[in-house]
Amino acid sequence: MWFAATGRCVAVIFDDRHGGFDLGVDFAVGSVTLRVRGEVDALTAPALGAVLGELVEQSLDEVFLDLADLRFMDASGLGVIADISGRLITSGRMLTVRSARSTTLRLFEMTRMNEIVRLDRGHVKGAVQDAEPSAGDQPASLKRLPANLGRGLGRVSAQSNNAAIDAALRLVAVLADATVDGADGASVTLERNGRMTTVASSNDTVLRMDDHQYETGEGPCLAAAAQGHRFHSESLAEETRWPAFVPRAMKEGIASILSTPLMTAERSFGALNIYSSSERAFGPDQQDLAALFASQASGILVDAAGQVVEDQMAERIADALLAREVIAQAQGMLMSREHATPYHAAATLYRAARAAETTVRQQATAIVASAHLDNGSQT
């Protein structure tokens, strides 16, 4: 590969001039910045993922994602960023997002992506952060994102594999709520640990709606997840299929529901649920759009299932914590031995790792081991 390990290298590495999307890389000592321009969607997200994936393999302490020129990002883009963030976390690092517009920052916060990436609010170009977005910044659907995503699942550890998955699914739910005409809320129901649970919701009402179905053991989301096809209740006032659930739903002010299954090639394992306070809110167009969002959510989960199981992730998290501790010890030893600042000690460590063609962790382990040997010989 042409990637530069030292000095400064700036280059455009992906350029789709027809679509107005490109990626650029800026290497500096110990860090790399990937600049994104244009729109990140299902067509361009693979390119973003391929480039980010290559960059995280480099022996660099800091990986920055510059989104100053990002106009739009959908669940495909967020899924890529969540995946890369998880890989960085397991190596004791964290992806830093800088120069993001206010709408992009809000999107990261509302989907809890800020739990697995670092948002650099101090590195904002001009009035990017505070200015109101222009009509071309984001589609109108994103501009009515609800300010409150509800109580959700509580705080999730930044080192949890499910945190990255759920962040992407929250974006699917929020976008479904924001873009499907007639929707007053959306949620994603999944089977986890042998029971159905809500892993993403756009507001508290839909979270309660899902809870009512779990408590009564009936309802469209459970039926869609169990049977693998869409369940659409055009009018709850006329609904007879779920006698225990329907009165609770109507008490919440819900009049119609559309539940679309999440599918693998073999079976269904959850559902995307869209609720409305209006009867007959979801026509053919809305049903097709819901199917598109459900397909996107299914893809996120299928991709995640092919990576690591929970016990493997636990081992990787423990290993990452150990890596952080060893690197911190080595940095402290270099500061003491060379009377160096934290920055210069870190830079020395990274340069040594590159010169030895090894990882920063391996170099840090060697420094700590050498210091212990020296201490032992002196005693």
Side-chain angles (χ1 to χ4, degrees):
M1 296 293 291
W2 54 266
F3 290 114
T6 60
R8 188 176 181 86
C9 173
V10 181
V12 173
I13 56 179
F14 183 92
D15 191 355
D16 176 14
R17 296 190 183 279
H18 177 71
F21 172 79
D22 63 51
L23 301 172
V25 174
D26 184 344
F27 277 93
V29 175
S31 70
V32 62
T33 299
L34 177 62
R35 295 174 284 104
V36 182
R37 182 179 70 86
E39 300 184 358
V40 179
D41 54 23
L43 294 177
T44 56
L48 175 63
V51 173
L52 266 178
E54 182 68 31
L55 294 178
V56 299
E57 297 300 322
Q58 310 299 310
S59 297
L60 297 164
D61 183 56
E62 296 281 7
V63 180
F64 298 98
L65 188 62
D66 189 311
L67 301 182
D69 296 319
L70 176 73
R71 293 196 302 273
F72 170 73
M73 179 181 294
D74 72 359
S76 301
L78 193 73
V80 164
I81 294 174
D83 174 65
I84 297 300
S85 297
R87 290 166 59 183
L88 281 168
I89 286 169
T90 60
S91 65
R93 297 173 290 171
M94 199 168 191
L95 181 67
T96 298
V97 174
R98 57 169 41 166
S99 302
R101 300 170 186 265
S102 58
T103 47
T104 305
L105 288 172
R106 186 173 64 197
L107 188 61
F108 273 82
E109 292 169 344
M110 294 180 66
T111 57
R112 292 189 183 172
M113 278 290 291
N114 59 329
E115 295 182 359
I116 57 174
V117 301
R118 183 185 296 113
L119 299 179
D120 184 0
R121 299 178 180 278
H123 196 282
V124 179
K125 297 179 181 178
V128 171
Q129 184 179 27
D130 298 324
E132 286 299 316
S134 65
D137 286 341
Q138 294 276 20
S141 59
L142 280 181
K143 292 178 181 174
R144 66 177 187 90
L145 288 174
N148 175 21
L149 280 179
R151 57 187 172 91
L153 301 176
R155 184 169 181 82
V156 183
S157 169
Q159 293 157 335
S160 165
N161 188 37
N162 284 341
I165 298 169
D166 293 351
L169 294 176
R170 286 188 191 99
L171 181 61
V172 173
V174 169
L175 291 180
D177 178 20
T179 59
V180 175
D181 287 342
D184 291 306
S187 68
V188 175
T189 294
L190 286 185
E191 180 183 342
R192 277 189 180 163
N193 300 318
R195 60 187 294 270
M196 303 305 290
T197 186
T198 301
V199 299
S201 62
S202 62
N203 59 54
D204 286 345
T205 299
V206 299
L207 191 60
R208 290 195 300 271
M209 289 292 297
D210 289 353
D211 286 343
H212 292 325
Q213 294 182 71
Y214 308 146
E215 291 167 2
T216 60
E218 63 182 38
C221 86
L222 296 181
Q227 300 183 37
H229 62 83
R230 179 170 57 208
F231 277 80
H232 181 202
S233 179
E234 296 185 85
S235 171
L236 289 184
E238 302 169 4
E239 184 60 69
T240 60
R241 286 174 289 185
W242 309 294
F245 164 70
V246 168
R248 297 190 182 193
M250 294 183 67
K251 189 175 181 179
E252 297 282 359
I254 299 301
S256 59
I257 305 172
L258 177 62
S259 291
T260 308
L262 307 183
M263 305 286 295
T264 65
E266 295 80 20
R267 69 182 186 94
S268 59
F269 53 88
L272 170 68
N273 313 298
I274 306 178
Y275 299 94
S276 178
S277 59
S278 303
E279 292 189 347
R280 296 172 176 82
F282 308 122
D285 290 343
Q286 288 76 28
Q287 294 175 37
D288 288 344
L289 187 54
L292 180 62
F293 280 117
S295 176
Q296 198 164 58
S298 299
I300 291 168
L301 291 160
V302 169
D303 289 345
Q307 293 176 12
V308 290
V309 295
E310 289 186 7
D311 57 344
Q312 290 174 320
M313 178 55 69
E315 291 178 6
R316 287 171 60 180
I317 290 171
D319 190 57
L321 293 176
L322 178 60
R324 288 178 180 172
E325 181 179 351
V326 170
I327 292 171
Q329 288 178 354
Q331 186 176 0
M333 290 175 180
L334 289 172
M335 289 170 62
S336 175
R337 187 175 70 195
E338 301 181 9
H339 305 288
T341 65
Y343 172 81
H344 287 99
T348 299
L349 182 59
Y350 308 141
R351 284 195 297 268
R354 288 195 293 270
E357 296 184 346
T358 186
T359 66
V360 173
R361 177 186 178 176
Q362 289 170 332
Q363 188 65 26
T365 301
I367 291 173
V368 172
S370 176
H372 287 174
L373 286 174
D374 290 344
N375 290 337
S377 64
Q378 293 174 4
T379 57

